[in-house]
Amino acid sequence: MPARAGRSGRRQGEALSEPGSDEATCPRCDAQSTGPGLLEAALARENLQRAWKRVKANKGAAGADGLSIEATAAHLRTSWPGIRERVLAGTYRPMPVRRVTIPKPDGGERELGIPTVTDRLIQQAASAAAAP
């Protein structure tokens, strides 16, 4: 089969041995590529207060840890410094998502994942800090 214009005639249909983009060698999840201070901005007191208000307004159910919004508030009063430290260090791992099934209008069921309130708080804070 002849080579197409602009391409060499080598092993068609196989992946190239060298990366085609810089994302293969420098993934987006690299902590240094997120911009200076993004995590600090996400975990700033004012941003966390706004994120907490959004989490409370959404009135979600408890996650896998079983803590409601009120119980999480009490828990975070003592454990937040450690959680914050782990987030900044890159060692924080969200808890597993609680799976529930909810009925669909057509009679079937749909699976729904419910993260813990703490994980929702961190997600909201990161989302607000990353928004332009």
Side-chain angles (χ1 to χ4, degrees):
M1 197 159 104
R4 288 190 230 154
R7 293 189 180 189
S8 65
R10 63 182 175 158
R11 303 188 320 244
Q12 293 193 3
E14 294 182 19
L16 300 174
S17 60
E18 62 272 351
S21 74
D22 64 339
E23 192 167 325
T25 57
C26 182
R28 288 184 186 173
C29 63
D30 180 18
Q32 301 302 319
S33 68
T34 57
L38 181 61
L39 282 177
E40 288 83 2
L43 299 177
R45 184 173 181 83
E46 299 78 25
N47 190 51
L48 284 167
Q49 288 172 335
R50 286 190 300 271
W52 181 252
K53 285 181 184 179
R54 285 191 299 271
V55 168
K56 279 181 68 171
N58 288 338
K59 299 179 184 174
D65 60 359
L67 296 177
S68 66
I69 293 174
E70 295 79 22
T72 300
H75 169 71
L76 290 177
R77 285 188 190 97
T78 58
S79 63
W80 178 249
I83 295 170
R84 183 180 194 281
E85 182 107 3
R86 290 196 323 263
V87 170
L88 288 172
T91 59
Y92 178 82
R93 296 292 175 256
M95 291 208 40
V97 175
R98 182 169 68 105
R99 297 281 178 198
V100 296
T101 55
I102 58 173
K104 290 170 59 175
D106 66 358
E109 290 185 327
R110 180 171 76 94
E111 207 173 75
L112 180 68
I114 304 173
T116 65
V117 178
T118 301
D119 292 338
R120 282 185 274 171
L121 173 66
I122 293 169
Q123 289 170 2
Q124 284 285 334
S127 174

